[in-house]
Amino acid sequence: ASPETPTGLTSTAQTANSIALSWNAVSGASLYELQMKTGSGQWRDVDVSEFTNDTTANVTGLAANTPYEFQVRAKNFGGESDWSSALTQATITALAKPTNLTATPTGNGAKLTWDTVNGAAAYKIYRSADGGKTFILVSTRLAKNFNGKTPYFNDTSAESGSFIYAIRAYDSSLSNTTRSDEVTATVTV
């Protein structure tokens, strides 16, 4: 016999480009088929799971700030169920990249400042000592700690030399990776 139609389809926007989905397991299902569409477009296959207990999917490669519709059905050797009720979920709005990043040498490192990014929950500060080939994370700053003031970071861990700094703004999931333009500062300790 054909399996029953899956129920309990739920979704969560993970990032500006991904949505996580889950649904209730169907007894006797040998796999699930997931479809999606945007607007008045055509339904298209997204993911096929060959495991009866795999009732989740993480759909990636989506456009930011865009609503998507999803539906799922169960299959086995006896046939396939009807499609579940469609569910609409929008991706998160992409954050703008930080702007006006400046790095000023101080007596014991460098002071960085940049403009506030609307919707940012945190900023991560990266430093490169090899001309931008590799970056290391030197600090994470929570946006709420600035209370409307210009965000800043005092880097006192840099040794003398020339460094490239980059700032990334993150949304509340800490997964949006827009990055500022790079700026070079000579730091003397």
Side-chain angles (χ1 to χ4, degrees), residues 92-170:
I92 296 170
T93 302
L95 295 175
K97 68 180 180 179
T99 56
N100 295 322
L101 173 62
T102 60
T104 306
T106 63
N108 61 347
K111 180 176 183 176
L112 283 69
T113 60
W114 61 92
D115 291 343
T116 300
V117 175
N118 288 334
Y123 302 99
K124 290 191 178 186
I125 297 97
Y126 299 86
R127 181 181 67 219
S128 173
D130 61 6
K133 293 176 187 169
T134 58
F135 283 86
I136 61 166
L137 176 66
V138 291
S139 184
T140 299
R141 305 289 304 225
L142 297 179
K144 68 180 181 180
N145 293 340
F146 298 114
N147 293 323
K149 297 178 184 173
T150 300
Y152 69 92
F153 171 68
N154 288 313
D155 184 7
T156 57
S157 66
E159 298 177 6
S160 292
S162 179
F163 300 95
I164 297 175
Y165 288 93
I167 307 294
R168 288 183 177 172
Y170 287 79

Side-chain angles (χ1 to χ4, degrees), residues 6 24 33 38 63 74-75 79 82 87 98-99 107-108 110 119 134 140 153-154 159 165 175 177 180 187:
N24 296 327
E33 184 177 10
T38 56
K75 290 183 168 186
D82 291 331
L87 171 75
T99 56
N108 61 347
T134 58
T140 299
F153 171 68
N154 288 313
E159 298 177 6
Y165 288 93
S175 58
T177 57
S180 70
V187 180

Side-chain angles (χ1 to χ4, degrees), residues 44-112:
R44 64 180 178 92
D45 289 340
V46 176
D47 182 63
V48 174
S49 167
E50 296 185 15
F51 305 100
T52 56
N53 62 352
D54 189 1
T55 56
T56 62
N58 190 31
V59 183
T60 59
L62 305 175
N65 196 30
T66 302
Y68 290 87
E69 277 188 87
F70 298 94
Q71 61 185 10
V72 65
R73 71 178 171 188
K75 290 183 168 186
N76 64 19
F77 292 111
E80 58 195 29
S81 71
D82 291 331
W83 288 103
S84 68
S85 298
L87 171 75
T88 301
Q89 174 70 58
T91 50
I92 296 170
T93 302
L95 295 175
K97 68 180 180 179
T99 56
N100 295 322
L101 173 62
T102 60
T104 306
T106 63
N108 61 347
K111 180 176 183 176
L112 283 69

